[in-house]
Amino acid sequence: MAGSDDVILLDFWVSAFGLRVRIALAEKGIHYEYREENLQNKSPLLLEMNPVHKKIPVLIHQGKPVCESNIIVQYIDEAWHDKSPSLLPSDPYLRAQARFWADFVDKKVYEAAKKIWMTEGEEDRQVAKKELIEVLKVLEGQLGEKPYMVGESFGLADIAMIPFSVWFHTLNEIGKMNIERECPKLAAWVNRCMERESVSKTLPHPHKFYEFVLEMQKKKGH
Amino acid sequence: MGKGSEIKLIGTPPSPYVNRVQIVLNLKSIDYEFVEENLACKSELLLTSNPVYKKVPVLIHANNPPIPESLIIIEYLDEIYSDVHPILPSGPLARADNRFWANYMDTKFFPLFEELRKTPGKEGKKAIMKQIIEGSQLLEEAFVKFSDGKPYFGGDDVGYLDVVLGCFLGWTKFVEKHNEFKIFDEARTPKLLEWTNRIWSHEALKDVIPESETLMNFYMILMKYRP
């Protein structure tokens, strides 16, 4: 049985990937020390604990690092398997589904969403918007009439995606789009997830994220 | 508990991701039906089984809906056939470490091979070969850590990372020959080089990894349709 002491999270306040880990820790009620990293000046600890990628989030449990957010969430579920709730379903087929959709968020949602503020030029932005909506609609297809992404319980796939809901306001403003209108089921799912304390107390306000992106763009001279 | 040919694997022989699943099925002595796919003209079965990515491998187990993505399939098989030849270790930290390195291989190391194929010109290719070599050094360190003096990443016998990396050896040999460079060599990656020879002749792998002629033909098809 893993102890709740000696858990450190190296993170960056606005990282969707770090937020996943924070939500998972909150779901399990695990106490931890949060350490904010300056990504322009990474700490020696971060470089030591994640020498391969040098990225956050990194969970350090009893001195040992765990890296990659979806892997960390599964680690949290397994190391604290005696603490409820479970973050993955018990059925092997549903577990495979949960992993698939968590991975889909990484492969498709993250890339498509980033393009909205990274592309320049109206034509490219229109293409990026179309791509993003297509990807979000695939998620809506998976959601269907279910309360959560896989099965009846909040878990890995929801945790993987919900931090990106913080991006919606920014995407809507910069992309001149309305994600909630185009994807109403996804919007309803966001509201449902926000009813969980682990989510509502962890996610930063979408306006704060918007300010952050505008600052980033200013620095790049947009 | 016999599960017979309840298992169908949709795939193509030259795909290392498909080979991964075949290796695990072999290790666990699971009978399966191999449904060969023509990637130039994808079947209705593949398109409906993996509508999101339309890629192989896809596993269909009895009446369950299909499962795509090789690493996800491997974990699924490991869970339902947990009594025979476990692939992943049981401890949470060891599992996280194994998953981390599989993720590194799939997102950082193996994509370099495709990039190498697509990059024209000597200078461009040289730069990518340098990255592949750097990657192989990281993998050498990982091997030393995981094997801890034993023959495989998995210890005494083949485990998760042996499968995840081992499935690519047909292609690494091909790429080495085609581009005239060594990915694994005695000076830089001595332990990993030993391991490649060891695993190459392991019975779970040797009938699965295609001959270099098959890979060459597949390579020519890739160059033609996806330059």
Side-chain angles (χ1 to χ4, degrees), chain A residues 4 23-32 76 80 83-85 198:
Chain A
S4 288
I23 290 170
L25 290 165
E27 281 283 313
K28 294 272 192 187
I30 296 163
H31 295 294
Y32 64 99
I76 288 169
W80 284 274
K83 279 194 174 220
S84 69
S198 66

Side-chain angles (χ1 to χ4, degrees), chain A residues 50 52-53 64-68 71 74-75 78-79 92-93 95-96 99-101 103-104 107-108 138, chain B residues 50 52-53 64-69 72 75-76 79-80 92-93 95-97 99-101 103-104 108 138:
Chain A
N50 190 358
V52 175
H53 302 301
K64 300 265 169 36
V66 184
C67 307
E68 294 298 305
I71 292 175
Q74 289 184 78
Y75 172 80
E78 290 173 15
Y93 177 72
R95 291 161 74 81
R99 289 174 179 133
F100 177 85
W101 290 103
D103 180 60
F104 176 85
K107 281 191 165 81
K108 295 283 184 189
V138 171
Chain B
N50 188 2
V52 176
Y53 299 120
N64 281 319
I67 301 176
E69 296 297 295
I72 293 175
E75 291 217 27
Y76 174 77
E79 286 175 17
I80 62 169
L93 188 63
R95 289 163 74 83
D97 280 346
R99 287 170 177 146
F100 174 87
W101 282 98
N103 174 269
Y104 168 79
K108 297 277 187 261
L138 280 180

